Amino acid sequence: MMSADMDAVDAENQVELEEKTRLINQVLELQHTLEDLSARVDAVKEENLKLKSENQVLGQYIENLMSASSVFQTTDTKSKRK
């Protein structure tokens, strides 16, 4: 091969190598982003479960308070009208 042909091949190889390197770096960046998002989803799921549990406890507490309070007791309106 002539020197000019070899230079052209070397230039093509260099461009290909740079493109491969760019794509590899992009893939790695996307993988890190996906890992970060997955970790965030897991954290949000845990927080959601914790809040659901707290809401159940609070709901039961409020229900117990309401049943113990005479203000929230049901009244028999028919017997009062007579």
Side-chain angles (χ1 to χ4, degrees):
M1 279 189 149
M2 295 199 266
S3 180
D5 290 338
M6 290 182 74
D7 288 343
V9 169
D10 286 344
E12 273 184 40
N13 287 341
Q14 184 64 28
V15 167
E16 272 186 40
L17 182 61
E18 288 172 1
E19 179 66 12
K20 285 180 184 178
T21 301
R22 187 186 67 77
L23 289 173
I24 288 170
N25 288 335
Q26 191 175 17
V27 166
L28 291 173
E29 184 179 333
L30 289 171
Q31 283 178 336
H32 292 304
T33 301
L34 181 59
E35 288 172 0
D36 292 344
L37 289 172
S38 293
R40 178 71 179 129
V41 166
D42 290 342
V44 168
K45 281 182 181 178
E46 283 182 32
E47 183 69 15
N48 186 36
L49 288 174
K50 179 182 166 192
L51 291 173
K52 277 185 180 180
S53 175
E54 288 176 7
N55 281 343
Q56 286 177 340
V57 169
L58 288 172
Q60 187 64 48
Y61 177 72
I62 290 169
E63 193 175 300
N64 290 342
L65 284 176
M66 288 173 62
S67 66
S69 172
S70 62
V71 174
F72 296 105
Q73 296 299 319
T74 58
T75 57
D76 188 3
T77 56
K78 290 181 183 176
S79 64
K80 287 186 178 179
R81 287 184 183 170
K82 290 183 178 180

